[in-house]
């Protein structure tokens, strides 16, 4: 446990050493809050709630999360520190988990910094705090799954741009599978049980269900198993090609 | 302490390291030599369990590098080629991080850090971020990182690469100083370094172990080994030369046309590489040749290296 904490500490410190972290947080806040007010027309909705705010997260994360995760392994490879990291007395899976967790925590920090939105709706009316809480939880879990996928693509290639594009494509696919428009198209061709199966693989479906204020164990299992699976694949890939 | 057993690494159809076996004991400094791409780094990476061998294995302090890799990593201090480190950390932060991952408590950490910073003379730069340091300091940071847990086994991949002569000297001094209670394996392609530092050298070529022995014994591969070189004021005539060749232990005599100031330089080759210095000396005294210089050649490592890694042709 001790080595993992040391690794996570270093990773988190590493984010705040570079201006990239601050730029990321600023862009994160501008895009999440901006989309709520300008795209979502928050004031016109006449609702003291954060539905509109959370509505855009699957789309915004599509670019924000891969941007955070794309360098996770590529940088270690390019600077040669991967050799240092994997000759320290810490197991592969522990290293993978530490790096993932610290990136996830970083995203969590960015998410927490959107708290003025919560204050705003508290000021404007009486929002359902339970729904807000589960929405935040859903958003954080979804960010974790995006991140796990980005970890895998980052381990696949030394090139950060390729890693970014790959993870955007994979995440986009998983978002679209549960998108209303796409599901309508599927419904026209296939029986509805098929559409249900397909959409159950989508982030959108599970995220929307958590956003309604219900924490269903199936949704939790979905997100956590994608994260777990992603990390295991990540470790396997690294084990196979860490020296290349 | 280290037993390497038929260690092999293949990349597809390319064999980077081919069934290498050797043992290293405590107190020994073992030098790895070989041309670039011979498999030195690959072997070291397998020993530090960074990459997994295709077949064969090795044991370090009795622990298997494949099945017990975490235990092996605890015992090994490793300086990878070009000494990678996290460049945006300061020296102290970086070493602190390594000490934490190696599981030291707060008190131990402080003591270990102090010792290693002193040992590698990093006091002056300890609060500087690593990317502002010169190559020599970066190398020393890598060194410090490998030494922090006072490991019984040190594996150093080109520890003096890119250093100036003073820094090289310093690093060599450090290695020698630690040698008694450790096992040290280092790779280099600087031959003088190997001669100056190592008790034993292994030459690897195209993944194969081609020589294993003390620098002295490797020199015996040299054509010039135990050859006596004479510098004479004037060249002896044919008959006198034949007398010299007629000596029991002398194989042949070669005149070197490169003598300066009309001096005559000749090389006396012994039979079976034996030491013929006293015999030649005795002969010279008898014949009353005026000798300006006499020297027994120790052989040239460079020549041995070329011979072993390029085949006998050169």
């Amino acid at each position: 446990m001790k080595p993992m904490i040391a690794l996570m500490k270093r990773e988190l410190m590493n984010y705040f050493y570079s201006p990239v972290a601050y730029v990321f947080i600023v862009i994160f806040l501008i895009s999440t809050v901006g989309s709520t007010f300008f795209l979502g027309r928050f004031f016109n909705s006449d609702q003291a709630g954060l539905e509109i705010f959370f509505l855009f997260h699957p789309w915004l994360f599509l670019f924000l999360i891969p941007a955070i995760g794309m360098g996770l392994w590529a940088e270690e490879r390019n600077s040669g520190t991967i050799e240092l990291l994997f000759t320290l007395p810490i197991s592969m899976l522990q290293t993978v988990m530490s790096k993932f967790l610290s990136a996830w925590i970083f995203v969590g920090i960015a998410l927490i910094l959107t708290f003025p939105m919560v204050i705003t709706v508290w000021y404007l009316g009486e929002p359902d705090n339970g729904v807000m809480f589960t929405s935040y939880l859903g958003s954080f879990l979804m960010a974790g799954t995006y991140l796990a996928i980005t970890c895998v693509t980052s381990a696949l290639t030394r090139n950060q741009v390729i890693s970014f594009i790959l993870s955007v494509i994979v995440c986009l696919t998983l978002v679209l599978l549960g998108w209303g428009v796409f599901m309508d198209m599927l419904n026209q061709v296939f029986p509805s049980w098929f559409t249900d199966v397909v959409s159950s693989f989508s982030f959108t479906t599970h995220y929307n269900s958590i956003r309604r204020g219900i924490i269903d164990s199936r949704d939790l299992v979905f997100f956590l198993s994608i994260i777990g699976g992603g990390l295991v694949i990540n470790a396997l890939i690294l084990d196979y090609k860490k020296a290349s | 302490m280290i037993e390497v057993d038929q260690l092999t690494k293949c990349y597809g159809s390319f064999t980077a390291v081919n069934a290498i076996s050797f043992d290293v004991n405590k107190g020994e400094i073992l030098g790895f030599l070989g041309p670039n791409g011979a498999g030195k780094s690959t072997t070291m990476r397998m020993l530090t369990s960074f990459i997994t061998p295709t077949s064969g294995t090795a044991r370090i302090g009795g622990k298997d590098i494949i099945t017990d890799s975490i235990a092996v990593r605890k015992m090994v201090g490793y300086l990878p080629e070009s000494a990678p480190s996290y460049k945006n950390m300061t020296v102290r932060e970086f070493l602190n991080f390594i000490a934490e991952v190696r599981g030291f408590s707060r008190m131990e950490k402080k003591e270990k850090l102090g010792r290693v910073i002193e040992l590698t003379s990093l006091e002056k730069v300890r609060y500087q971020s690593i990317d502002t340091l010169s190559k020599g300091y970066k190398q020393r940071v890598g060194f410090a990182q490998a030494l922090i847990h006072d490991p019984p086994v040190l594996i150093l991949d080109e520890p003096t690469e890119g250093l100036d002569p003073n820094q090289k000297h310093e690093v060599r001094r450090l290695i020698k100083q630690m040698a008694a209670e450790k096992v040290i394996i280092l790779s280099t392609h600087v031959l003088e370094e190997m001669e100056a530092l190592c008790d034993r050298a292994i030459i690897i070529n195209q993944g194969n172990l081609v020589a294993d022995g003390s620098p002295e014994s490797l020199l015996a591969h040299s054509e010039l080994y135990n050859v006596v070189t004479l510098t004479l004021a004037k060249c002896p005539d044919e008959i006198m030369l034949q007398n010299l060749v007629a000596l029991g232990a002398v194989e042949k005599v070669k005149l070197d046309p490169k003598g300066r100031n009309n001096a005559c330089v000749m090389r006396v080759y012994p039979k079976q590489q034996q030491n013929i210095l006293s015999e030649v000396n005795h002969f010279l005294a008898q014949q009353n040749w005026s000798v300006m210089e006499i020297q027994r050649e120790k052989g040239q490592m460079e020549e041995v290296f070329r011979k072993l890694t390029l085949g006998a042709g050169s």
Side-chain angles (χ1 to χ4, degrees), chain A residues 8 16 22 51 55 57 74 109 121 154 184 222 225 243:
Chain A
M8 285 169 63
F16 291 100
Y22 301 98
E51 282 95 84
L55 183 67
H57 283 196
I109 293 172
V121 290
S154 174
D184 288 344
F222 171 80
S225 54

Side-chain angles (χ1 to χ4, degrees), chain B residues 35-134:
Chain B
N36 287 328
K40 294 174 299 211
S41 290
T42 308
T43 309
M44 291 188 148
R45 284 173 160 190
M46 284 192 278
L47 289 180
T48 53
S49 74
F50 177 60
I51 52 179
T52 321
T54 311
S55 67
T57 188
R59 275 168 302 278
I60 294 183
K63 310 276 189 202
D64 190 281
I65 55 161
I66 302 168
T67 55
D68 213 352
S69 76
I70 299 286
V72 166
R73 293 175 198 192
K74 280 185 181 153
M75 280 188 285
V76 173
Y78 177 41
L79 172 68
E81 200 175 346
S82 75
S85 54
Y86 293 105
K87 301 278 185 283
N88 51 10
M89 297 175 109
T90 68
V91 172
R92 228 195 111 82
E93 280 167 348
F94 175 66
L95 295 177
N96 191 48
F97 160 68
I98 298 288
E100 272 177 9
V101 176
R102 289 207 174 267
F104 292 117
S105 70
R106 191 175 281 268
M107 284 303 290
E108 285 173 313
K109 228 167 56 185
K110 211 175 159 205
E111 181 251 314
K112 304 260 177 203
L113 244 66
R115 184 185 61 89
V116 91
I117 285 176
E118 193 193 317
L119 205 62
T120 51
S121 329
L122 285 168
E123 292 96 340
K124 264 197 288 184
V125 297
R126 70 174 100 175
Y127 299 115
Q128 272 186 41
S129 78
I130 296 175
D131 53 6
T132 63
L133 299 179
S134 67

Side-chain angles (χ1 to χ4, degrees), chain A residues 11 72-82 85 99, chain B residues 86:
Chain A
E11 283 290 318
L72 223 53
W73 295 107
E75 269 172 24
E76 300 273 359
R77 271 226 182 90
N78 289 334
S79 66
T81 45
I82 194 161
L85 204 56
K99 275 184 90 78
Chain B
Y86 293 105

Side-chain angles (χ1 to χ4, degrees), chain B residues 2 21-25 28-33 184-186 194-195 197-203 209 211-218:
Chain B
I2 301 180
S21 302
F22 59 88
D23 288 355
V24 199
N25 300 317
E28 242 180 332
I29 305 182
L30 175 72
F32 260 29
L33 273 88
I184 301 178
I185 298 184
L186 59 92
M194 186 275 284
E195 286 186 84
L197 209 53
C198 302
D199 309 308
R200 190 173 141 206
I202 281 182
I203 299 184
L209 195 153
D212 179 355
S214 67
E216 275 290 301
S217 70
L218 287 181

Side-chain angles (χ1 to χ4, degrees), chain A:
Chain A
M1 203 55 206
K2 221 171 171 182
M4 271 184 76
I5 290 171
L7 266 179
M8 285 169 63
K9 217 169 83 184
R10 196 208 74 80
E11 283 290 318
L12 273 173
M13 258 160 62
N14 189 42
Y15 283 116
F16 291 100
Y17 272 131
S18 68
V20 179
Y22 301 98
V23 172
F24 173 81
I25 288 181
V26 169
I27 292 178
F28 185 91
L29 296 178
I30 290 177
S31 59
T32 49
V33 176
S35 59
T36 312
F37 284 98
F38 300 111
L39 283 175
R41 302 184 180 280
F42 178 66
F43 288 127
N44 293 356
S45 74
D46 268 342
Q47 278 180 11
L50 291 179
E51 282 95 84
I52 298 173
F53 172 69
F54 286 109
L55 183 67
F56 292 104
H57 283 196
W59 305 99
L60 296 173
F61 286 1
L62 218 44
F63 300 97
L64 291 171
I65 305 295
I68 271 297
M70 65 185 179
L72 223 53
W73 295 107
E75 269 172 24
E76 300 273 359
R77 271 226 182 90
N78 289 334
S79 66
T81 45
I82 194 161
E83 200 165 346
L84 203 69
L85 204 56
F86 289 132
T87 50
L88 287 170
I90 172 168
S91 77
M92 173 72 77
L93 205 58
Q94 279 180 315
T95 314
V96 168
M97 271 167 64
S98 313
K99 275 184 90 78
F100 167 79
L101 284 176
S102 24
W104 201 16
I105 290 171
F106 178 69
V107 174
I109 293 172
L111 208 52
I112 286 170
L113 288 176
T114 61
F115 71 90
M117 287 302 296
V118 179
I119 296 173
T120 310
V121 290
W122 273 343
Y123 176 77
L124 290 174
E126 280 164 16
D128 184 336
N129 286 331
V131 170
M132 280 204 298
F133 174 75
T134 60
S135 299
Y136 265 110
L137 181 72
S139 175
F140 183 59
L141 282 170
M142 188 173 56
T145 52
Y146 280 46
L147 196 58
I149 288 166
T150 314
C151 284
V152 173
T153 64
S154 174
L156 275 173
T157 164
R158 268 169 181 267
N159 187 318
Q160 301 199 15
V161 178
I162 294 177
S163 150
F164 179 85
I165 293 170
L166 278 178
S167 52
V168 169
I169 291 172
V170 175
C171 293
L172 181 66
T173 312
L174 287 171
V175 167
L176 285 181
L177 288 181
W179 192 38
V181 178
F182 178 74
M183 280 166 70
D184 288 344
M185 275 164 53
L186 276 186
N187 265 332
Q188 285 169 7
V189 188
F190 298 103
S192 65
W193 64 264
F194 182 80
T195 320
D196 287 343
V197 169
V198 170
S199 71
S200 68
F201 284 104
S202 168
F203 295 147
T204 324
T205 316
H206 297 276
Y207 176 59
N208 286 343
S209 133
I210 291 187
R211 238 161 29 96
R212 272 181 229 118
I214 310 151
I215 301 180
D216 189 329
S217 57
R218 275 173 301 177
D219 300 324
L220 290 181
V221 167
F222 171 80
F223 284 123
L224 294 178
S225 54
I226 288 199
I227 291 174
L231 295 186
V232 170
I233 294 172
N234 188 349
L236 290 175
I237 291 173
L238 282 173
D239 205 31
Y240 184 65
K241 42 185 299 179
K242 59 190 167 185
S244 65

